Each structure stands twice: as C-alpha cells, then as structure tokens.
Amino acid sequence: KRRLQLDGDMRRNLSEGGMHLVYQPIVDVEGKLHGCEALMRWQHPIKGFISPNEFIPIAEESGLINIIGKWTLFEACKTAKLLAPYGVYVSVNMSAHEFSRAGLLEDIEGMIKTTSVNPESLRLEITETTSMDNPDRAMSRMRDLRSLGLETVIDDFGTGYSSLSYLKELPVEILKIDKTFVDGIAKDVDDRAFFESIVNMAKSRHKKLVVEGIESPEQVAIVAECDGDYIQGYYFAKPMSTDDIIQIAASETVLPRS
Ligand code: C2E
Ligand code: CA
Ligand code: CA
C-alpha cells in the first residue's frame, strides 16, 4: 500500500517541485574538488524525508524512473554548465532501465544542446550489476555515449561480481569502489589487504578510482597510501545544495578535513 501511495505521490511531487538534487563533492586525497555526484532528495509533504533507497526502486518498478531520470539529467546538465568554468564535473546516477532505454542518446543530445553544457562536464554512473546484466549491450551503449563526449562510471564496483575479463574491455575511465569494501580498512588488516588488491586490479587496467563512503582521517591516509585517486565521503563533505557546491568550486579551497 505504501509503495502504491508513494508512486502516486512521486508523480505529483515531481511536477510540483517537491524533489530536488543535492551534490556531494568528489575530491582528491588532498581535498581539492574534482567533481560531484548528483543525488536525489524527496521531501514528502506529509511523510517527511524519504530516502532514494526507498523511492528509486519503486519508480523503477512502475516505470516512473524514466520521467524522473530525464528530469534529473536536465537539472544536472544545468548545474554542470555552472560548474564547468571551474573544471568540476557532475556525475549522474542512472538506473538499469534508463541506461538501456531506446531514445536515451537522443534525449541526452537534446539536453546538451538546450543547456549548451560541455558533455565532458557530465558523467553517467551505472552500477556494476547494470553493466553486467548484458555486458555487450552495455559496452556498446558506453561507446555511443563516449562518441557524444560523455564518460560512463562504474558504480558500486566490487559488488556485482563482474567477470574480470570484462574489466579490460570496459570503455570506462573511472570505477567507484563500494563503501562495503572501505568500512573496515582502518581496523582490520584483512579488509585493508582486500581493498588494496581491488585498487591494484583496477590500476593494472589503467582505471582511476573513486573511493566512496570515507568517514575518517585513517581511511583517507590508507586510500592515499594505496594510490587511490579520488574520495567521496562524509569525512570531506555531505551532499549539499547547488549554491554551496558552486561556492566551493569558485573558492578553489581545499575542503577542510572535519
Ligand atoms: P549511490 O549511488 O551508491 O550513492 C552514494 C550514497 O552514499 C548516497 O546516499 C550518499 O549520500 C551516501 N554516502 C556518501 N558518503 C557517505 C559516507 O561517508 N557515509 C555514509 N554512511 N554514506 C555516504 P543517498 O543519497 O541516500 O543515495 C542512495 C542511493 O540512491 C544511491 O546510491 C543511488 O543508487 C540512488 N540514487 C540517488 N539519487 C539517484 C538518482 O537521481 N537516480 C538514480 N537512478 N538513483 C539515485
Ligand atoms: Ca552513485
Ligand atoms: Ca555507490
């Protein structure tokens, strides 16, 4: 019942402005801003804050995700245009359904034209599971996107059991290591060794790594020692408004370590 109700409310709230995007900084190990991830927020008029972990799967099931996805992409294009002068990109999450949708490329092309954003300021994140669903189809789509100037990022890397042979062929530059592989690195030598082996594997294929869910200075130090490239996590910054991310980009300051 809740799912049905949320689906209906989502349809209304999206057009009435009840949803918005926030942006979480992606920094290098020194704290310098490199990009950000667009994350959806829904403040329900009665039920209060609802997590994307709850409403995105509902939207995927009902098909509403295609409308939400277009809205998100368009909003992200506008923010990417504002951040482009500072060399900061915006990374947008994309569900499996949207990624394989016919018409996606035409839609993106249209949005790039309308917002006159440089496609290099925009990235698409798809999960490893999405890419492994049908690897050949996913790789062909990634190549088409690349021909438009857009890079694809593999999200939640390590959770989808991707065949290692595909890692070599994947037309992507960036992998995001899932938080589950990071949580224990400062406390458990085995977790640290495992994390290091994932980093080395990716490096041997010349991929850059974003390490997600970093919450402590000890974890930052380990990422730096293991030669990880970029960090996204509450330690540096939580997701923030468009105005705030622009201000950080414009000030070129290194994010303080809280
Ligand atoms: P994700 O793509 O893996 O996004 C990262 C999630 O980890 C975000 O949660 C972020 O706020 C959280 N996070 C980042 N750093 C830390 C940290 O240091 N500690 C902890 N505990 N968490 C951290 P969020 O915003 O709740 O998003 C959850 C998921 O919802 C996302 O996971 C993504 O799968 C989905 N999602 C969010 N926005 C969109 C969207 O616009 N489209 C689609 N298709 N999915 C979205
Ligand atoms: Ca993501
Ligand atoms: Ca992730």
Side-chain angles (χ1 to χ4, degrees):
K1 201 171 150 203
R2 180 172 160 97
R3 290 174 73 89
L4 264 176
Q5 198 178 14
L6 287 184
D7 190 60
D9 292 351
M10 221 178 329
R11 280 172 207 272
R12 269 191 303 280
N13 273 218
L14 184 66
S15 57
E16 287 164 4
M19 292 185 162
H20 66 282
L21 293 180
V22 286
Y23 299 88
Q24 187 176 27
I26 298 170
V27 300
D28 64 18
V29 289
E30 303 299 330
K32 186 180 175 302
L33 190 64
H34 176 77
C36 59
E37 177 176 9
L39 294 158
M40 212 173 179
R41 293 290 175 263
W42 183 17
Q43 190 64 35
H44 189 285
I46 297 158
K47 295 184 171 72
F49 175 76
I50 299 178
S51 163
N53 285 321
E54 180 175 11
F55 70 78
I56 294 287
I58 296 174
E60 281 170 351
E61 209 172 285
S62 73
L64 187 59
I65 194 68
N66 290 331
I67 297 171
I68 289 186
K70 278 188 206 174
W71 175 85
T72 305
L73 258 173
F74 192 63
E75 291 299 307
C77 280
K78 290 190 278 182
T79 306
K81 168 92 181 156
L82 298 171
L83 287 171
Y86 312 107
V88 173
Y89 67 82
V90 177
S91 206
V92 186
N93 290 291
M94 185 152 280
S95 299
H97 203 264
E98 299 174 77
F99 192 68
S100 57
R101 182 172 63 83
L104 175 74
L105 290 164
E106 290 77 8
D107 283 351
I108 292 180
E109 228 176 341
M111 289 184 206
I112 291 172
K113 275 208 186 96
T114 311
T115 56
S116 67
V117 66
N118 180 345
E120 282 167 19
S121 311
L122 205 62
R123 300 198 178 171
L124 299 184
E125 291 190 10
I126 62 161
T127 64
E128 190 184 20
T129 319
T130 302
S131 74
M132 294 317 294
D133 237 14
N134 183 338
D136 293 327
R137 196 179 60 191
M139 285 197 284
S140 142
R141 181 126 278 194
M142 287 173 197
R143 280 189 285 266
D144 289 345
L145 286 164
R146 192 172 258 183
S147 69
L148 289 183
L150 249 91
E151 282 295 320
T152 310
V153 173
I154 302 293
D155 202 0
D156 300 348
F157 180 69
T159 62
Y161 312 106
S162 63
S163 150
L164 292 182
S165 57
Y166 274 110
L167 188 56
K168 186 176 174 186
E169 293 170 44
L170 273 178
V172 302
E173 279 173 3
I174 301 183
L175 306 174
K176 291 182 95 168
I177 298 191
D178 191 61
K179 183 175 184 300
T180 48
F181 298 111
V182 176
D183 283 343
I185 57 173
K187 298 186 204 93
D188 186 306
V189 285
D190 291 342
D191 282 1
R192 183 190 159 137
F194 193 65
F195 170 76
E196 203 163 351
S197 64
I198 299 178
V199 175
N200 289 337
M201 195 168 65
K203 290 272 151 176
S204 71
R205 291 297 178 213
H206 310 290
K207 308 295 183 199
K208 295 264 187 208
L209 281 163
V210 177
V211 186
E212 252 184 330
I214 291 289
E215 294 178 348
S216 75
E218 293 80 17
Q219 288 175 315
V220 176
I222 293 169
V223 173
E225 274 168 35
C226 294
D227 210 16
D229 302 287
Y230 305 109
I231 290 174
Q232 182 182 349
Y234 293 172
Y235 179 66
F236 283 106
K238 289 198 169 175
M240 57 183 73
S241 68
T242 313
D243 287 351
D244 286 350
I245 192 86
I246 290 170
Q247 206 182 332
I248 290 179
S251 65
E252 286 183 30
T253 47
V254 168
L255 277 176
R257 298 186 180 180
S258 43

